[in-house]
Amino acid sequence: MELKQEKQAYEMPYQLTYYECDDTGHPTMSMMLSMMTMVSDAHCISLGMDTATIQQTGGAWVITEYDGEVAADQPTFGDQVILGTRALAYNRFFALREFWMTDASHEKRYLHLRATFVFMNLEKRRLMSIPKQLIEPFDSPEQKRLPHLANPATIISDDPASKEYQVRYFDIDVNHHVNNARYLDWLLDPLGGEFLRTHRPVSLVIRYQHEVREGATVTSQYQLVEDTGGLSSRHALLVSGQVCATAEIGWHGV
Amino acid sequence: MELKQEKQAYEMPYQLTYYECDDTGHPTMSMMLSMMTMVSDAHCISLGMDTATIQQTGGAWVITEYDGEVAADQPTFGDQVILGTRALAYNRFFALREFWMTDASHEKRYLHLRATFVFMNLEKRRLMSIPKQLIEPFDSPEQKRLPHLANPATIISDDPASKEYQVRYFDIDVNHHVNNARYLDWLLDPLGGEFLRTHRPVSLVIRYQHEVREGATVTSQYQLVEDTGGLSSRHALLVSGQVCATAEIGWHGV
C-alpha cells in the first residue's frame, strides 16, 4: 500500500470495525466524519503538532463546514481503507482542507469532502487568528480569499418533521465538547430505519453555527425534497430555538 | 509485539481512536465491550468461521453476561493496545470466553472479563444447541457444568433515580440488533458528567435478559451504594416495565 505522507497531504491505512457500521454493514456518516478528524489529527502529529503543542496556544481547531460527495458503493466492516487529507489553502482566520476515504489501492473513492477550519480561543470562546506555527508546517498556499463551500438549502415549512434528543455524557469527546460527528446521528435518526435502509447518502453539506452544549435538548427538524436534482433532505438542529447546525443531504434509492 | 494466535486464544493489536474515548481521554466502557466483540469475531474468522459460515446455521452467538475487572490505570487515545480472547469451556447450550485488553508489552492489564455466550435461532428467537462445527475449532474443553458468573446486586428502592432513552437507528448494528455495548451508554449516562469525571469503573457485572428492540423507550434506573466493599452502582434497564438488563459497577474516586 502506497501512502502519501508529505507536508501538504497525509494518508493512513485503517480497518473498519463492525461498530463503525450500521445495519447496512457500511460505515455511518457520523463515524466517517470521526475518521476524517482522526486523519487530520494524525497529519498534525506527523508534522510535530500534537495536542499539547496546539493547547499551548490557548486555542483549538474547530470545523465550521463540510461539503462533498459520498459514493453509492461503500466499504464494509473489516475492509482495509485509506483515510487521507490535504491542506489546501489558508488565510488569517480560515483554513481549507480536503478529505478522502479510498480503497486500499486508491482505485475507488468512497468519500470526498472539503472542510473549513477556524481557530477558537477556548477561554474567550471566540475566533482567534490562526497561530503561524500551526499553519506554516503544512506548506499550503496563503490566499486572501478562500473558495466558499456550498450552502445547505433551507427547510421551507412552518411545521417540519422533528424529533428531540438529549445530549448525553458520552457525546462529549476528549476535547470536552460535543463531538461534531454526533450531529450526524441527530440529523439522520428522525428519517427512520425504513428510509435509511433503502437510501444511501450521495452528498453532504453541513454547516456548524453554534456549539451544542452538554445537557442541552436538541430539536432535529427535517424536510424531504424531490426535484430535478433528485431526492434530498434538508435539516436544522436547534437548541432553545437557536439554530446550531444546518445540513443538506442528497440520496439515492437502493 | 508478540501475539497469541492459537486455537483457544487469539490476540490482535489495536490503536485506540479519539472517538472511542470520553471526556477523560480513556476508552468508554461501551467501546471496550465493542472491542471485545471485535476480537471474538476476529478469533472466529481466524479459525475459518466467518459471518457467512455462522449464518448458514440459522443462528447467531449472543452474549448473556459479562463479569470482570477494569484497571484504575487506563490507556489513552492514540495508544497501541492488545485485545485478546480465549475460549475457556463449553457445553451443549453455553460457551464461556475470557477477554482482555493489555498494553503493547502485555505488562499492564487494562481490562479482564469473562463472558457467557449462547446460540440463538434467529427465526424462532430462541436458544438452540451450539452447532458442533462452530465450537470444536476452538479446541476448548467440553464441561457438563460451567462456572456461574457473578450476579449483579439488585436495586433496593421503590423510587430509584432514572432516565429515559429512545433507541435510535444507529444503535442497531450489522447483526440487525441493538448493539449490546450500547446498553452501557444507557446504564452510565444517568450517573451524570460530574460523577463520571471524578470516578473510574473498577468492576463490571452485566446480565442481558431480554432484547431491547428498535423503536423502544428504555428506562435506565440506578442506585448508588456505599458499603464495606466500597462504592458501587446498581442498574436496571426496563422496556414497558420488563427488565431487559441488570448490572453492577464498582467505582474508585479519582
Side-chain angles (χ1 to χ4, degrees), chain A residues 2-13 43 46:
Chain A
E2 273 187 48
L3 297 172
K4 285 196 187 78
Q5 290 187 345
E6 50 201 47
K7 281 185 181 175
Q8 282 182 28
Y10 182 87
E11 290 187 324
M12 62 187 280
H43 190 193
S46 77

Side-chain angles (χ1 to χ4, degrees), chain A residues 166-186:
Chain A
Q166 287 264 333
V167 178
R168 302 176 183 174
Y169 173 70
F170 296 106
D171 296 328
I172 313 287
D173 70 13
V174 294
N175 297 317
H176 312 299
H177 295 286
V178 173
N179 186 319
N180 71 17
R182 296 298 176 109
Y183 288 51
L184 267 292
D185 288 339
W186 298 325

Side-chain angles (χ1 to χ4, degrees), chain A residues 23 169 176 189 197 214, chain B residues 20 23 169 176 189 197 214:
Chain A
D23 196 42
Y169 173 70
H176 312 299
D189 182 64
R197 286 187 184 96
E214 194 171 351
Chain B
E20 289 158 344
D23 196 41
Y169 173 70
H176 312 300
D189 182 65
R197 286 188 185 93
E214 194 171 353

Side-chain angles (χ1 to χ4, degrees), chain A residues 26 32 50 58-59 140 190 248:
Chain A
H26 305 304
M32 288 199 285
D50 62 10
S140 63
E248 184 178 4

